[in-house]
């Protein structure tokens, strides 16, 4: 099943171990205002293909930035759902948050 996620991408990493290549997108979203057990932002990691890191590199000077990520739901460890990014497109230019 494919889903479209609106994510604030903050960075990415990739790996190449003995020809096994892949990567991860790092994104965040604000914690739910009515959740008294959380504060600030929730950070998440989403798997992606190795090639997506080069695609994201073209936008490095404006990160963090909003992207629309086409993702596929997959079974993860312990029966939990994970997402794998299939494609990503930058949304309209959003000002970088103040540091």
């Amino acid at each position: 099943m494919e889903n479209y996620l609106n994510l604030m991408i903050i960075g990415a990493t990739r790996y190449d171990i003995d020809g096994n290549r892949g990567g991860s997108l790092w994104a965040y979203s604000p914690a739910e205002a009515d959740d008294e057990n959380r504060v600030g932002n929730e950070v998440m990691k989403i798997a992606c293909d190795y090639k997506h890191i080069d695609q994201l590199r073209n936008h490095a000077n404006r990160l963090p930035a909003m992207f629309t990520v086409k993702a596929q739901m997959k079974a993860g460890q312990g029966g939990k759902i994970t997402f794998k990014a299939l494609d990503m497109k930058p949304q309209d230019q959003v000002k970088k948050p103040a540091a």
Side-chain angles (χ1 to χ4, degrees):
M1 175 187 283
E2 293 176 356
N3 298 278
Y4 288 88
L5 309 171
N6 295 311
L7 299 174
M8 179 66 74
I9 304 278
I10 57 177
T13 57
R14 69 179 180 186
Y15 60 86
D16 183 346
I17 302 170
D18 298 328
N20 184 18
R21 302 169 103 187
S24 298
L25 301 175
W26 293 91
Y28 75 85
S29 63
E32 296 292 326
D34 61 352
D35 187 344
E36 63 184 43
N37 297 316
R38 297 179 189 266
V39 65
N41 296 303
E42 296 185 67
V43 178
M44 61 197 92
K45 180 170 97 169
I46 298 171
C48 67
D49 289 331
Y50 189 87
K51 66 181 180 182
H52 288 120
I53 306 308
D54 287 330
Q55 181 184 356
L56 192 60
R57 193 178 311 278
N58 296 328
H59 303 283
N61 65 335
R62 57 176 269 213
L63 294 179
M66 290 296 295
F67 282 78
T68 299
V69 178
K70 180 180 175 182
Q72 179 181 31
M73 288 185 352
K74 302 185 91 166
Q77 291 181 325
K80 294 182 181 178
I81 293 173
T82 63
F83 288 97
K84 179 173 182 186
L86 304 174
D87 189 28
M88 58 185 177
K89 292 186 171 58
Q91 294 182 1
D92 291 336
Q93 182 72 31
V94 176
K95 289 186 179 181
K96 282 176 107 170

